[in-house]
Amino acid sequence: MANAATEELIENFSLFDDWEERYAYLIDLGRKLDPLPDEDRTPESKIEGCMSQVWLVSAVEPGAPPVVRYHADSDSQIVRGLIAVLMTAYSGETADRIVATDINDIFTRIGLDKHLSPNRRNGFYAMVQRISDVAADALRRAS
């Protein structure tokens, strides 16, 4: 189940009639992201499997369940837009909710499943895997 901000994002995408407009919106979302500081652009934070350069860092806030905040960046405008979608869906959520979030449903409802190249799709899912791994690890440590 998507959070309220993600539902709003899905609704916003549905307002556009064609994919050129949706891509422009996706790029605009990416432009609004805060840049990742240079010190966070490390080999450890780099996402493998992306054609573009992508870095993702996380911070786990203790709690029952813990909350995980993510910050990511890319050298590609479209990928920055995809990151914005992922940050909306995941960042600031509880680890159990992150693990339970069906990104495929969100991806399909936005229409990205039909309009991204296989390479971008692979990179997108590599980011999702890292996000899920961090949340699952936070849940293991909290129990």
Side-chain angles (χ1 to χ4, degrees):
M1 182 172 170
N3 62 30
T6 303
E7 289 294 339
E8 182 179 340
L9 185 68
I10 292 166
E11 187 174 318
N12 289 346
F13 268 97
S14 74
L15 298 174
F16 299 106
D17 294 328
D18 65 36
W19 264 95
E20 241 176 77
E21 293 173 334
R22 288 181 185 204
Y23 274 127
Y25 179 61
L26 189 67
I27 290 168
D28 190 48
L29 289 172
R31 285 185 180 133
K32 294 176 183 173
L33 286 177
D34 290 332
L36 193 67
D38 286 341
E39 61 267 15
D40 287 335
R41 294 172 186 253
T42 65
E44 296 79 26
S45 67
K46 191 170 181 185
I47 303 289
E48 298 299 324
C50 296
M51 290 196 60
S52 303
Q53 301 261 23
V54 178
W55 300 270
L56 178 101
V57 295
S58 59
V60 178
E61 299 171 3
V67 171
V68 186
R69 299 200 185 278
Y70 300 94
H71 190 188
D73 203 353
S74 175
D75 60 353
S76 162
Q77 290 185 357
I78 290 176
V79 175
R80 281 181 61 88
L82 294 173
I83 289 168
V85 170
L86 292 176
M87 296 303 100
T88 301
Y90 292 118
S91 190
E93 295 290 337
T94 60
D96 57 341
R97 184 166 179 127
I98 291 167
V99 170
T101 297
D102 182 2
I103 198 64
N104 291 317
D105 176 60
I106 295 166
F107 199 62
T108 300
R109 290 173 63 200
I110 289 174
L112 291 171
D113 60 324
K114 296 176 184 163
H115 293 91
L116 282 185
S117 70
N119 287 334
R120 282 232 166 82
R121 189 175 296 123
N122 290 341
F124 181 83
Y125 284 110
M127 289 184 281
V128 170
Q129 187 63 55
R130 172 81 63 89
I131 287 166
S132 296
D133 289 349
V134 168
D137 186 56
L139 283 173
R140 277 192 298 279
R141 291 174 187 260
S143 60

